[in-house]
Structure formats: structure tokens, C-alpha cells
Amino acid sequence: MSANAARTTDVVVVMGVAGTGKTTVGELLARELGVTYAEADAFHPPANVAKMSSGTPLDDADRAPWLDAIGAWAHGREGLGGVVSCSALKRSYRDRLRAAAPGLFFVHLTGDRELIGERMRQRTDHFMPTALLDSQFATLEPLQPDERGAPVRVDADEHTVTARAAEAVRAHAREQSARGAEYAASARA
């Protein structure tokens, strides 16, 4: 944990299409916030990995047990804090995660198709082929105003992106703290 890190009790989902750096930023963000990190890919059953490795996109039925496992992990981290990387491309997926862990905060890593495609072409250690990137962008439903979260551009190095993500999480925590103080003051009045 860095010297200026402030531990959070929020569970943060680092979301976005493949190639945005969810794992790298997620690991760095967890370290910065002083919490546990989980890689969503580790929650996939072997059949899902085989399907994606062959270039076949997952459908919602494939994703359901995966999302439930991530949600269960997040639920177990409530009050302790944690960071998990998860594409969470559709609102319905994020709703499913929130059903298990209502206090989730989403950091949506964003970038244009050209930038993300180039990043994917440079990596060699991942089962998700570049051919599936278009399906990911087609599926993506950005965060809505009523969802707790913030978009973070990935047009910089991983440390800058992580700093942006950490500031978004901290800004949210400050806002929640201020709301809690206002509520407590009004309850005493």
C-alpha cells in the first residue's frame, strides 16, 4: 500500500471490454487501496474458457454462474473492501452482481476501438482473442447515471490510469461520508 493510500471498505469492480487493462489496473488499485484483489477470469468454469479460447462469445446462460460466483466473492468482502476485475458489460450483469453485493462501485475503463485493439494485439498471455473485441463493444452498455461508478480513460500508462481510478473511488467515499454526516445531523435535529 502506498504512503498516501487510504483503505476502503467498498468493493470495487474494475469493468470494461477486453484489453482495457482490467487485471493490471485492478491489481494496482487493490494495492493502492490496501484491499484484496480477485481476477474475474479465475471464476470462469473451464467450459467458458474453452468457448472463448475457440473464438466463440459467451451467452448470458454461460455468464450466469460466473457472475454469481463473483457476486458471492464481493458479498463476502462487504465491509472489508476489495477489488475484482470483471467485464460487467451489460446493465443486467451489473444488476446481477449488485443483487449479491448492493454496495458495489464500478470503475469503467474506457477507450476507443482502435486503442483497445492495438493493446490486445500486443498481449500474448490471454485466452480472449482479438476477434471477439467487436462483440464486446457491441454488448457494452456504459454505466447509467443511477449506477454507483465512474468512467476512467485508459489513454495513459497503467499507473496514471490507476491513479485516476483511485481518485474516483476516494471521491465516491468522500461523497458517501458527507451524506452519512448530513443524515446523522438531520436525525439529531
Side-chain angles (χ1 to χ4, degrees):
M1 183 164 44
S2 72
N4 66 346
R7 186 173 176 83
T8 182
T9 58
D10 283 333
V11 177
V12 178
V13 177
V14 179
M15 64 168 281
V17 300
T20 53
K22 294 182 297 291
T23 298
T24 301
V25 172
E27 289 173 342
L28 291 170
L29 181 61
R31 201 172 312 139
E32 174 69 20
L33 298 175
V35 296
T36 298
Y37 172 74
E39 167 57 53
D41 286 344
F43 293 91
H44 273 299
N48 283 9
V49 174
K51 193 171 185 179
M52 288 183 287
S53 295
S54 72
T56 305
L58 300 179
D59 60 27
D60 288 353
D62 296 323
R63 287 185 182 94
W66 173 66
L67 291 167
D68 291 344
I70 295 166
W73 180 89
H75 178 78
R77 298 298 308 168
E78 286 180 344
L80 302 171
V83 174
V84 62
S85 58
C86 174
S87 54
L89 298 177
K90 288 185 179 180
R91 169 70 186 251
S92 62
Y93 304 163
R94 297 187 299 271
D95 288 346
R96 190 173 189 121
L97 293 170
R98 278 190 292 266
L104 293 176
F105 184 81
F106 292 85
V107 170
H108 179 189
L109 300 182
T110 65
D112 62 40
R113 168 67 174 84
E114 185 177 319
L115 171 68
I116 303 307
E118 180 56 33
R119 290 171 65 142
M120 283 187 75
R121 281 186 288 280
Q122 291 176 10
R123 59 185 205 182
T124 59
D125 60 344
H126 198 273
F127 59 79
M128 177 71 82
T130 306
L132 291 182
L133 186 56
D134 289 333
S135 73
Q136 294 243 312
F137 272 104
T139 302
L140 177 63
E141 296 172 2
L143 290 171
Q144 300 301 303
D146 65 327
E147 293 184 271
R148 290 173 37 156
V152 173
R153 298 254 333 133
V154 297
D155 57 355
D157 67 88
E158 66 267 15
H159 297 289
T160 301
V161 174
T162 300
R164 292 172 182 169
E167 180 49 38
V169 171
R170 290 181 179 121
H172 170 72
R174 287 190 299 269
E175 181 181 307
Q176 292 298 104
S177 180
R179 282 187 188 161
E182 287 174 16
Y183 177 78
S186 68
R188 286 191 299 265

